[in-house]
Amino acid sequence: TIVNTAYCITISSPFFLLGVLNSRWVACYFKSLSPTIQNGYYRFIDQYVGRIPIPSYSAEVEKCVRQLLRARKEHRFAQAQKLEVELDDVVAGLYGL
């Protein structure tokens, strides 16, 4: 049986894409696109993921993601939480929200 288990997205800045796709705004949007499957999980397949609009590159998103990853690696969880909020605000601005 063939199963849809892996996809690739090529982009010059994976940190930018990581920040956008993991933002609260894209999560909310994706919930409106994808039906849920067993245990309330969403279907991350091309027909849904391909409909997520990706805004133009922002160095601010990339910088925030790098700082966030560093804070988590160093177990600075309070700072990481602040950076998550900052990242969501920056991404919201890219979408004009």
Side-chain angles (χ1 to χ4, degrees):
T1 303
I2 297 174
V3 180
N4 298 333
T5 57
Y7 297 93
C8 294
I9 299 173
T10 57
I11 189 166
S12 61
S13 174
F15 292 103
F16 167 73
L17 188 60
L18 179 68
V20 170
L21 293 179
N22 284 285
S23 71
R24 148 177 99 129
W25 304 107
V26 169
C28 289
Y29 179 73
F30 193 77
K31 288 177 184 179
S32 72
L33 296 176
S34 172
T36 56
I37 54 175
Q38 186 176 3
N39 297 322
Y41 291 99
Y42 293 93
R43 308 263 340 248
F44 285 89
I45 59 177
D46 183 57
Q47 74 185 70
Y48 306 120
V49 175
R51 292 173 51 193
I52 299 171
I54 304 300
S56 297
Y57 172 78
S58 165
E60 192 173 358
V61 169
E62 182 170 343
K63 177 184 171 189
C64 194
V65 168
R66 288 178 184 274
Q67 290 174 340
L68 176 56
L69 292 173
R70 190 175 313 114
R72 285 185 180 164
K73 182 178 180 181
E74 296 171 358
H75 304 287
R76 293 180 283 125
F77 299 114
Q79 182 183 12
Q81 286 180 326
K82 289 178 184 177
L83 288 164
E84 287 174 0
V85 171
E86 181 181 332
L87 177 61
D88 282 337
D89 289 345
V90 173
V91 172
L94 295 177
Y95 284 111
L97 302 173

